[in-house]
Amino acid sequence: MRRTLLTGAASAVALVAAMAPSGTAGTTALALGSIVRITTPGTSLCPAEGEPEVTHTRLGTWVAYNDDHQCPWLPTLTRIEEVQLVPAQGRPKFIPLDAPQGQVVSGDPDLSPAPDGGVYVATLWSGAAHEGALSLRVLHVDRQLHVHELPTPSFHGDNNSDDKEFIAVDSGPGSPFAGRLYVVWDDFYAGTTAFRAWDGKHWLRPVELQKGAGAPDVAVGPGGIVAATMESTTGSGAIVRVSHNGGRSFGPPITAIQGHEPGSADLSCPLRPTVGVRQRAMMGARLTFDRGGDLHVVASTGQFLEIGATQTPAGLAGEAIVRHAVLRGNRVIHAEQVTTPTTDQQWAAALAALPDGGVAVSWLQTNGPGHATYDAWIATQPSGARRFTAPQRLSPASSNFPAATEAVGNSNCYGIGDYIGMVTTPRGVATVWPTTDTDIPGVDSDVLLRPAQTH
């Protein structure tokens, strides 16, 4: 039987005072709040929640995640996407996402506040007319928690092959593009990293950000500036492109963070950069604008081969380090590691602006020489600083890596998914990440939501 959803009061834990990994200069900047454990209500033999994203509105904190219902010994694909609203008071509210008969809302979620006080949800749908097709869809959950479907931004009919969709909404006061929704994704049918804007009535002409897949992200800054980041297919690292006309066109690529993909070559995870125990890892470039208008980018880099390279993987040591860069205009004004060097592996970085300036960065990190377990960490860079504060551990206990999750329909070495989520809140930030603590590794995982407040 599934555990019932835990409220903040029921899942409260003491503030973690563990030593930071390879301590960074600075002082502790955040007060860590109570944890909410997110699980899907109902019963399932082998539940597995992962790959979470998060956003915040006046109604509360919204969490979207992938949910695998089947077991490794029952290899039937029923991977679906779920959404829950966690209000400031009371229990989380589960919001079913339904697809037409024969189709499945199959995951890769992202969330962004909608102008009406609800949220937009980005997802993939499977089971369309062409077998194996994955189509990008955007749903609108209104204030009454009713779900509406926007026209798909995909443009290949029923034969789409989409992945890694991320969204952002222009909610800036006085912006000439206020209310506009932006989506970026990997279009494997066309072999591009794609971008498209929704003006409230229809999708504008798509823009090709680069040839090849880049696992992109998108953010909106002051005055309606739109920035997209992605892993460069030319091997230069994490790049940024900026639009000043509401996403109709973008400027040239700017290399924000140099480096290769993180992780090592693992024979059990062919062609996948791998960290920990059979956990695939990505550069995972993410970006946000801070309160002052500077653009921040994070990514995990290492010594593995970059996308499109032909050389033998060099990442035998499995290096994976979270790096951060700040851009002002078209120039990188500084770049640094989030923590001092460590032999542990850092990946799945996420970031959010702090309400009083600067940013916070969260990430996952392995433990010890065997890299057998992992924890979630957080650190901040105050406005104007060029170093991060000492990291704080978000997770109350370390997690074991799941094993053989591809048996439930995911691709090889999926593990806990490819990313975690982070969002700005009125008093700080909130992070979501998958955990197997208290669960059976390889069978169950849950999503943890934890706020962190500035003092």
Side-chain angles (χ1 to χ4, degrees), residues 5 17 27 51 96 110 180 215 262 272 284 298 340 453:
L5 294 172
T27 58
E51 206 158 81
D110 194 26
R180 187 167 288 190
R272 298 281 193 189
V298 292
T340 52
Q453 298 180 0

Side-chain angles (χ1 to χ4, degrees), residues 155-223:
F155 38 86
H156 305 302
D158 291 328
N159 197 27
N160 296 290
S161 182
D162 301 325
D163 198 12
K164 294 294 175 288
E165 67 283 3
F166 280 79
I167 56 177
V169 172
D170 188 344
S171 57
S175 168
F177 312 107
R180 187 167 288 190
L181 167 69
Y182 302 108
V183 58
V184 289
W185 74 100
D186 288 335
D187 182 343
F188 286 99
Y189 184 97
T192 65
T193 303
F195 170 95
R196 210 161 187 187
W198 170 260
D199 66 3
K201 296 182 179 179
H202 62 275
W203 292 101
L204 304 185
R205 184 184 300 274
V207 178
E208 181 184 280
L209 295 175
Q210 69 172 358
K211 294 287 187 183
D217 190 20
V218 62
V220 182

Side-chain angles (χ1 to χ4, degrees), residues 53-54 217-219 229 257 284-290 294-299 322-326 338 348-354 358-363 377-379 381 388 420-424 429-431:
E53 274 294 340
V54 62
D217 190 20
V218 62
T229 187
I257 296 174
R286 299 287 180 264
L287 80 171
T288 192
F289 287 90
D290 66 20
D294 286 338
L295 181 62
H296 296 250
V297 182
V298 292
V322 173
R323 301 182 186 275
H324 165 262
V326 181
V338 174
L351 80 168
L354 292 169
V359 296
V361 174
S362 295
W363 68 95
W377 293 85
I378 190 171
Q381 186 175 90
F388 278 82
I420 66 174
M422 197 176 191
V423 67
T424 304
V429 295
T431 302

